Amino acid sequence: MSRRKKLYEGKAKILYEGPEPGTLVQYFKDDATAFNAQKKATLEGKGVLNNRISEYIMLGLGRIGIPTHFIKRLNMREQLVRQVEIIPLEVVVRNVAAGSISKRLGIEEGEQLPRSIVEYYFKKDELGDPMVSEEHITAFNWASTQEIDDMMAMALRINDYLSGVFSAAGIRLVDFKLEFGRYYEGDMVRTVLADEISPDSCRLWDMDSNEKMDKDRFRQDLGNVTEAYAEVAKRLGIMKESGQAPANDEGK
Ligand code: 5GP
């Protein structure tokens, strides 16, 4: 296992060659970065929590018919995923104003948006992931119009589903970021959800207190970051408050 070939190392995850062709092992690190990696820290246990939360969400999305790269969780920090060609876009869905939309458009944080808004950002660290339009996406061939349609439809469906899942756990889904990939099956290509969905990539607020339960705790130095992630996991019924797997977990 330790001799596996590392294919890519990102800020919060590592991708290794998988056991079979067309598969990868996605490893969740404890590292956290913000503001285009200008702020860095190691948050003990974050990777374990994100692995579990993302698994839970990907499985739920699979059940409602969203194609994802997820195959199965392997252990505390790793999951087996399908190898895809990542579309170089971040797809952000917003329900409530926060973060960059508040700053850019002067909308007060916490204001309910008139409807859910989908935005695209070009994945390019050197440029700080600039927001782009469908015109840019098709003109520069980052994705086809069909892929944009697929991503938009899936993003809205995912938003509906996740808003319900989190709401049942007393959590407001403010916004989140998705990444998609091209999955090649013979001469067919399918757009599938990739990467992760976790408190690193979502804004999650407690429904009663509006307390932040996501990566903004790290970005804004609010403290208790992993504790907040563990609370999300606990409310979803995945893990106990301590961040430990439930007693009936297979010990992986
Ligand atoms: P904003 O554009 O307001 O900074 O972010 C919108 C949402 O997308 C937030 O939930 C934020 O966490 C997520 N997001 C945006 N860019 C990134 C990114 O590069 N990495 C991660 N993990 N999440 C991001």
Side-chain angles (χ1 to χ4, degrees), residues 90 92 94 98-100 121 129 175-177 200-203 215 219:
E90 295 188 344
V92 168
R94 300 180 188 274
S100 69
Y121 293 83
D129 298 345
D175 58 31
F176 58 96
K177 184 260 304 179
D200 266 7
S201 58
C202 302
R203 282 198 175 92
K215 197 169 146 186
R219 295 188 187 101

Side-chain angles (χ1 to χ4, degrees), residues 11-13 33 36 90-94 97-104 119 121 123 125 129 131 173-179 195-196 198-204 214-216 219:
K11 287 168 264 184
K13 294 190 295 295
T33 65
N36 209 3
E90 295 188 344
V91 180
V92 168
V93 184
R94 300 180 188 274
S100 69
I101 196 172
S102 290
K103 215 166 152 187
R104 189 163 8 92
E119 300 170 340
Y121 293 83
K123 262 170 73 77
D125 282 342
D129 298 345
M131 186 156 86
L173 179 61
V174 170
D175 58 31
F176 58 96
K177 184 260 304 179
L178 303 171
E179 294 190 26
D195 196 50
E196 69 178 303
S198 73
D200 266 7
S201 58
C202 302
R203 282 198 175 92
L204 305 168
D214 56 65
K215 197 169 146 186
D216 272 351
R219 295 188 187 101

Side-chain angles (χ1 to χ4, degrees), residues 47-49 51-52 73-78 239 245 251-252:
V48 174
L49 288 158
N51 185 22
R52 294 296 299 257
R73 185 170 60 85
L74 297 171
N75 54 47
M76 294 276 275
R77 287 189 182 271
E78 295 177 333
M239 280 173 135
K252 284 178 175 174

Side-chain angles (χ1 to χ4, degrees), residues 28-98:
F28 289 76
K29 301 196 278 186
D30 281 344
D31 295 352
T33 65
F35 311 118
N36 209 3
Q38 289 173 50
K39 182 179 168 124
K40 291 183 193 172
T42 301
L43 304 169
E44 207 188 320
K46 177 179 81 88
V48 174
L49 288 158
N50 281 355
N51 185 22
R52 294 296 299 257
I53 295 169
S54 198
E55 171 198 24
Y56 179 83
I57 292 175
M58 291 283 177
L59 286 173
L61 291 172
R63 280 195 294 272
I64 63 157
I66 301 282
T68 82
H69 74 158
F70 183 85
I71 301 172
K72 65 173 179 179
R73 185 170 60 85
L74 297 171
N75 54 47
M76 294 276 275
R77 287 189 182 271
E78 295 177 333
Q79 42 187 248
L80 185 66
V81 300
R82 291 185 179 85
Q83 184 161 28
V84 299
E85 181 184 286
I86 290 286
I87 295 174
L89 297 169
E90 295 188 344
V91 180
V92 168
V93 184
R94 300 180 188 274
N95 300 307
V96 174

Side-chain angles (χ1 to χ4, degrees), residues 234-246:
K234 185 188 145 214
R235 291 205 201 169
L236 293 174
I238 306 169
M239 280 173 135
K240 291 188 295 191
E241 198 162 10
S242 60
Q244 298 297 307

